[in-house]
Amino acid sequence: RPVEHWTPWSSDKWPMEGKTMASGAKRRECWAARDAFFACLDQGDGQMSPEAEKRCAEEWRDFQKRCLPSWIKHFVTQRSLGQAPAQ
């Protein structure tokens, strides 16, 4: 059965089987990783340059490990628009 036909009351498994919503602790881990990555970027010109890519590689990996891809996209977009990250 295609995912687009899934409903919460259907007998089929949820399409994100095995994935869980982020708990409060996991969200805080994500935010800490985000803050560490952005702080690393701010040590330079604040942009993802080749120099920053090398310097911030560990923070970037941690950010990717601890945050959902959609959250990463959201945080990076907010930053590029000059908005403070929402918590």
Side-chain angles (χ1 to χ4, degrees), residues 57-69:
E58 184 177 331
E59 289 85 352
W60 175 243
R61 279 191 301 273
D62 194 44
F63 186 30
Q64 290 179 306
K65 177 182 170 187
R66 299 191 184 282
C67 298
L68 295 168

PDB file of all heavy atoms in Angstrom, residues 57-69:
ATOM      1  N   ALA A  57      34.706  20.340  10.344  1.00  0.00           N
ATOM      2  CA  ALA A  57      34.271  19.011   9.886  1.00  0.00           C
ATOM      3  C   ALA A  57      33.703  18.173  11.026  1.00  0.00           C
ATOM      4  O   ALA A  57      32.664  17.515  10.867  1.00  0.00           O
ATOM      5  CB  ALA A  57      35.424  18.283   9.206  1.00  0.00           C
ATOM      6  N   GLU A  58      34.338  18.195  12.176  1.00  0.00           N
ATOM      7  CA  GLU A  58      33.870  17.396  13.311  1.00  0.00           C
ATOM      8  C   GLU A  58      32.509  17.894  13.807  1.00  0.00           C
ATOM      9  O   GLU A  58      31.599  17.101  14.070  1.00  0.00           O
ATOM     10  CB  GLU A  58      34.884  17.453  14.451  1.00  0.00           C
ATOM     11  CG  GLU A  58      34.516  16.582  15.627  1.00  0.00           C
ATOM     12  CD  GLU A  58      35.576  16.612  16.711  1.00  0.00           C
ATOM     13  OE1 GLU A  58      36.766  16.818  16.416  1.00  0.00           O
ATOM     14  OE2 GLU A  58      35.184  16.403  17.876  1.00  0.00           O
ATOM     15  N   GLU A  59      32.359  19.211  13.899  1.00  0.00           N
ATOM     16  CA  GLU A  59      31.089  19.790  14.348  1.00  0.00           C
ATOM     17  C   GLU A  59      29.968  19.502  13.346  1.00  0.00           C
ATOM     18  O   GLU A  59      28.837  19.226  13.733  1.00  0.00           O
ATOM     19  CB  GLU A  59      31.231  21.301  14.548  1.00  0.00           C
ATOM     20  CG  GLU A  59      32.064  21.689  15.746  1.00  0.00           C
ATOM     21  CD  GLU A  59      33.563  21.731  15.462  1.00  0.00           C
ATOM     22  OE1 GLU A  59      34.010  21.319  14.358  1.00  0.00           O
ATOM     23  OE2 GLU A  59      34.299  22.183  16.366  1.00  0.00           O
ATOM     24  N   TRP A  60      30.304  19.545  12.046  1.00  0.00           N
ATOM     25  CA  TRP A  60      29.309  19.259  11.007  1.00  0.00           C
ATOM     26  C   TRP A  60      28.843  17.805  11.092  1.00  0.00           C
ATOM     27  O   TRP A  60      27.645  17.524  11.020  1.00  0.00           O
ATOM     28  CB  TRP A  60      29.882  19.568   9.626  1.00  0.00           C
ATOM     29  CG  TRP A  60      29.002  19.204   8.482  1.00  0.00           C
ATOM     30  CD1 TRP A  60      29.252  18.286   7.511  1.00  0.00           C
ATOM     31  CD2 TRP A  60      27.703  19.742   8.177  1.00  0.00           C
ATOM     32  NE1 TRP A  60      28.209  18.220   6.622  1.00  0.00           N
ATOM     33  CE2 TRP A  60      27.245  19.099   7.004  1.00  0.00           C
ATOM     34  CE3 TRP A  60      26.890  20.683   8.776  1.00  0.00           C
ATOM     35  CZ2 TRP A  60      26.010  19.380   6.427  1.00  0.00           C
ATOM     36  CZ3 TRP A  60      25.653  20.966   8.198  1.00  0.00           C
ATOM     37  CH2 TRP A  60      25.228  20.319   7.037  1.00  0.00           C
ATOM     38  N   ARG A  61      29.786  16.878  11.288  1.00  0.00           N
ATOM     39  CA  ARG A  61      29.406  15.458  11.425  1.00  0.00           C
ATOM     40  C   ARG A  61      28.514  15.249  12.645  1.00  0.00           C
ATOM     41  O   ARG A  61      27.528  14.512  12.585  1.00  0.00           O
ATOM     42  CB  ARG A  61      30.656  14.584  11.513  1.00  0.00           C
ATOM     43  CG  ARG A  61      31.302  14.278  10.186  1.00  0.00           C
ATOM     44  CD  ARG A  61      32.367  13.202  10.282  1.00  0.00           C
ATOM     45  NE  ARG A  61      33.451  13.555  11.191  1.00  0.00           N
ATOM     46  CZ  ARG A  61      34.530  14.255  10.858  1.00  0.00           C
ATOM     47  NH1 ARG A  61      34.657  14.681   9.614  1.00  0.00           N
ATOM     48  NH2 ARG A  61      35.467  14.511  11.742  1.00  0.00           N
ATOM     49  N   ASP A  62      28.849  15.908  13.752  1.00  0.00           N
ATOM     50  CA  ASP A  62      28.046  15.775  14.965  1.00  0.00           C
ATOM     51  C   ASP A  62      26.645  16.355  14.752  1.00  0.00           C
ATOM     52  O   ASP A  62      25.648  15.772  15.177  1.00  0.00           O
ATOM     53  CB  ASP A  62      28.746  16.463  16.135  1.00  0.00           C
ATOM     54  CG  ASP A  62      28.140  16.085  17.466  1.00  0.00           C
ATOM     55  OD1 ASP A  62      27.862  14.878  17.680  1.00  0.00           O
ATOM     56  OD2 ASP A  62      27.951  16.980  18.302  1.00  0.00           O
ATOM     57  N   PHE A  63      26.567  17.499  14.077  1.00  0.00           N
ATOM     58  CA  PHE A  63      25.283  18.137  13.749  1.00  0.00           C
ATOM     59  C   PHE A  63      24.428  17.176  12.925  1.00  0.00           C
ATOM     60  O   PHE A  63      23.248  16.955  13.211  1.00  0.00           O
ATOM     61  CB  PHE A  63      25.582  19.433  12.999  1.00  0.00           C
ATOM     62  CG  PHE A  63      24.414  20.333  12.688  1.00  0.00           C
ATOM     63  CD1 PHE A  63      23.288  20.395  13.484  1.00  0.00           C
ATOM     64  CD2 PHE A  63      24.468  21.172  11.586  1.00  0.00           C
ATOM     65  CE1 PHE A  63      22.227  21.253  13.189  1.00  0.00           C
ATOM     66  CE2 PHE A  63      23.421  22.028  11.288  1.00  0.00           C
ATOM     67  CZ  PHE A  63      22.299  22.069  12.086  1.00  0.00           C
ATOM     68  N   GLN A  64      25.027  16.565  11.909  1.00  0.00           N
ATOM     69  CA  GLN A  64      24.297  15.622  11.064  1.00  0.00           C
ATOM     70  C   GLN A  64      23.885  14.367  11.825  1.00  0.00           C
ATOM     71  O   GLN A  64      22.825  13.803  11.564  1.00  0.00           O
ATOM     72  CB  GLN A  64      25.147  15.226   9.860  1.00  0.00           C
ATOM     73  CG  GLN A  64      25.329  16.348   8.877  1.00  0.00           C
ATOM     74  CD  GLN A  64      26.189  15.928   7.715  1.00  0.00           C
ATOM     75  OE1 GLN A  64      27.306  15.435   7.895  1.00  0.00           O
ATOM     76  NE2 GLN A  64      25.677  16.099   6.517  1.00  0.00           N
ATOM     77  N   LYS A  65      24.723  13.944  12.757  1.00  0.00           N
ATOM     78  CA  LYS A  65      24.431  12.733  13.534  1.00  0.00           C
ATOM     79  C   LYS A  65      23.284  12.956  14.518  1.00  0.00           C
ATOM     80  O   LYS A  65      22.458  12.078  14.734  1.00  0.00           O
ATOM     81  CB  LYS A  65      25.697  12.317  14.290  1.00  0.00           C
ATOM     82  CG  LYS A  65      25.536  11.134  15.196  1.00  0.00           C
ATOM     83  CD  LYS A  65      26.839  10.860  15.929  1.00  0.00           C
ATOM     84  CE  LYS A  65      26.641   9.837  17.023  1.00  0.00           C
ATOM     85  NZ  LYS A  65      27.843   9.685  17.834  1.00  0.00           N
ATOM     86  N   ARG A  66      23.211  14.133  15.108  1.00  0.00           N
ATOM     87  CA  ARG A  66      22.272  14.386  16.198  1.00  0.00           C
ATOM     88  C   ARG A  66      20.958  15.043  15.778  1.00  0.00           C
ATOM     89  O   ARG A  66      20.028  15.097  16.582  1.00  0.00           O
ATOM     90  CB  ARG A  66      22.951  15.228  17.266  1.00  0.00           C
ATOM     91  CG  ARG A  66      24.145  14.527  17.857  1.00  0.00           C
ATOM     92  CD  ARG A  66      24.681  15.201  19.065  1.00  0.00           C
ATOM     93  NE  ARG A  66      25.882  14.556  19.561  1.00  0.00           N
ATOM     94  CZ  ARG A  66      25.912  13.444  20.272  1.00  0.00           C
ATOM     95  NH1 ARG A  66      24.799  12.832  20.572  1.00  0.00           N
ATOM     96  NH2 ARG A  66      27.051  12.933  20.678  1.00  0.00           N
ATOM     97  N   CYS A  67      20.876  15.521  14.544  1.00  0.00           N
ATOM     98  CA  CYS A  67      19.663  16.225  14.100  1.00  0.00           C
ATOM     99  C   CYS A  67      19.055  15.557  12.873  1.00  0.00           C
ATOM    100  O   CYS A  67      19.777  15.022  12.030  1.00  0.00           O
ATOM    101  CB  CYS A  67      19.989  17.675  13.750  1.00  0.00           C
ATOM    102  SG  CYS A  67      20.624  18.649  15.130  1.00  0.00           S
ATOM    103  N   LEU A  68      17.745  15.628  12.798  1.00  0.00           N
ATOM    104  CA  LEU A  68      17.048  15.134  11.614  1.00  0.00           C
ATOM    105  C   LEU A  68      17.417  16.003  10.412  1.00  0.00           C
ATOM    106  O   LEU A  68      17.619  17.211  10.559  1.00  0.00           O
ATOM    107  CB  LEU A  68      15.541  15.209  11.832  1.00  0.00           C
ATOM    108  CG  LEU A  68      14.965  14.316  12.926  1.00  0.00           C
ATOM    109  CD1 LEU A  68      13.525  14.697  13.219  1.00  0.00           C
ATOM    110  CD2 LEU A  68      15.079  12.867  12.523  1.00  0.00           C
ATOM    111  N   PRO A  69      17.506  15.412   9.215  1.00  0.00           N
ATOM    112  CA  PRO A  69      17.849  16.202   8.030  1.00  0.00           C
ATOM    113  C   PRO A  69      16.923  17.411   7.824  1.00  0.00           C
ATOM    114  O   PRO A  69      17.384  18.482   7.438  1.00  0.00           O
ATOM    115  CB  PRO A  69      17.724  15.201   6.877  1.00  0.00           C
ATOM    116  CG  PRO A  69      17.959  13.870   7.519  1.00  0.00           C
ATOM    117  CD  PRO A  69      17.381  13.981   8.901  1.00  0.00           C
TER     118      PRO A  69
END
